[in-house]
Amino acid sequence: MKNREQLGPIDTLSLVDKVEMRLMQYFKENNLKPGDPIAKEMDLAASLGVSRTVVREALLRLRTLGFIDSKKHKGMTFQEPDIINNFERILEPNLLGEKTLKSLFELRLILEMGMADFLFEYVTSNDIAELEQIVAEEAAANYNRNMFSLDKEIAFHGKLYQISRNRTLQRFQDLLLPVFEYHYQQQRMETNGDYQYSSGKFVNHKMLLDHLKTGTPDTFRNAMRRHLEPHFDQIFLKKR
């Protein structure tokens, strides 16, 4: 008798993928809002024609992503996911590849360059006073004018993100800090902590603050670009 290939198990993972996609489609088609109830596992399994085990695994994925809330005696409800929280779970520099880290670092530079209009729209006298305090502390610490100091960068730029009044942007900035620190250390090793600016002058935080106080979004953007020049060069020169 001719040998036949043995039947292998059904790819349950791909089936779970399909159920997950179908549930997401169902949420969108029915325009579910946070707090809306979701059918029980048994009912979903019957409607989809799959086992409860498959449905349970698909629901677990969606719960992990934040689309589903489940409470005892109340069943499952749909909820708006916390997108930043999902990033926080996986964004660990030591576990990410160089390409991903580089892409995330570039994203941070893009955000820094794009916030100027929001800063000028929302900045208050109290914000200016806090930035002046940060700059004064830099001066008191004999901050080197020709290179970055990581703690001062975090303090000053973190305050700028707060001024934007965009909570998602603020949380994203906190999320990207480990990536920024990683690239900062890489840059220090490559340049030995020194960098020659194209204009011959480092645009420091006091200069950025002066533009925020008396300049325009465009002058601030230009100053920020010069301030971040070492980071841009690190990226663009590696590309060549």
Side-chain angles (χ1 to χ4, degrees):
M1 183 176 178
K2 185 178 180 181
N3 291 333
R4 296 182 179 178
E5 292 185 8
Q6 296 297 314
L7 288 172
I10 295 175
D11 185 355
T12 55
L13 181 60
S14 64
L15 187 57
V16 172
D17 289 338
K18 292 177 182 178
V19 171
E20 180 185 356
M21 293 173 62
R22 183 65 188 90
L23 288 172
M24 288 294 293
Q25 183 182 358
Y26 171 80
F27 296 159
K28 290 186 288 186
E29 289 175 346
N30 289 274
N31 195 29
L32 293 190
K33 299 291 189 298
D36 286 349
I38 297 173
K40 297 180 179 178
E41 283 182 8
M42 184 182 300
D43 296 330
L44 290 173
S47 298
L48 294 166
V50 297
S51 70
R52 290 184 64 181
T53 301
V54 171
V55 170
R56 188 176 297 117
E57 186 171 344
L59 289 171
L60 179 60
R61 290 183 183 182
L62 295 175
R63 187 178 293 111
T64 300
L65 290 172
F67 285 104
I68 293 177
D69 185 27
S70 182
K71 294 182 180 178
K72 194 173 182 179
H73 305 307
K74 291 187 177 181
M76 295 182 294
T77 58
F78 178 79
Q79 68 176 6
E80 181 180 352
D82 186 335
I83 57 175
I84 300 299
N85 182 57
N86 288 327
F87 276 110
E88 288 173 345
R89 296 181 181 184
I90 61 173
L91 211 160
E92 171 52 57
N94 293 329
L95 300 178
L96 298 177
E98 187 65 29
K99 288 185 178 180
T100 300
L101 290 171
K102 179 176 177 292
S103 180
L104 288 169
F105 187 69
E106 289 175 358
L107 177 59
R108 190 179 191 277
L109 296 181
I110 292 169
L111 294 175
E112 297 272 351
M113 294 300 299
M115 68 167 70
D117 291 282
F118 289 89
L119 298 181
F120 277 78
E121 181 69 24
Y122 295 120
V123 67
T124 67
S125 57
N126 288 336
D127 293 325
I128 294 295
E130 289 186 42
L131 289 173
E132 287 177 335
Q133 180 63 34
I134 293 172
V135 168
E137 291 173 359
E138 287 182 357
N142 294 318
Y143 177 44
N144 189 325
R145 297 182 179 182
N146 296 314
M147 57 188 290
F148 289 94
S149 175
L150 184 57
D151 59 333
K152 303 303 186 297
E153 283 291 293
I154 291 174
F156 188 88
H157 291 258
K159 180 57 187 177
L160 294 183
Y161 276 77
Q162 290 179 16
I163 295 173
S164 75
R165 305 296 186 260
N166 186 299
R167 180 57 184 157
T168 300
L169 184 62
Q170 293 174 44
R171 292 183 62 199
F172 206 67
Q173 187 259 356
D174 293 338
L175 187 63
L176 293 178
L177 277 179
V179 177
F180 183 78
E181 292 174 6
Y182 173 84
H183 270 268
Y184 174 83
Q185 297 301 334
Q186 291 290 104
Q187 186 180 47
R188 284 190 65 86
M189 287 189 293
E190 293 175 6
T191 64
N192 293 320
D194 194 19
Y195 177 84
Q196 297 299 318
Y197 287 81
S198 58
S199 64
K201 188 176 184 180
F202 173 42
V203 174
N204 60 25
H205 292 149
K206 183 181 184 307
M207 297 174 187
L208 286 174
L209 176 56
D210 289 340
H211 280 283
L212 186 58
K213 289 161 63 175
T214 61
T216 67
D218 285 337
T219 65
F220 183 88
R221 250 188 300 271
N222 291 333
M224 180 64 78
R225 177 60 177 81
R226 297 199 303 276
H227 176 70
L228 298 172
E229 183 181 309
H231 302 313
F232 280 99
D233 277 357
Q234 182 190 28
I235 291 171
F236 296 150
L237 291 177
K238 280 186 176 181
K239 181 180 176 183
R240 295 167 188 167

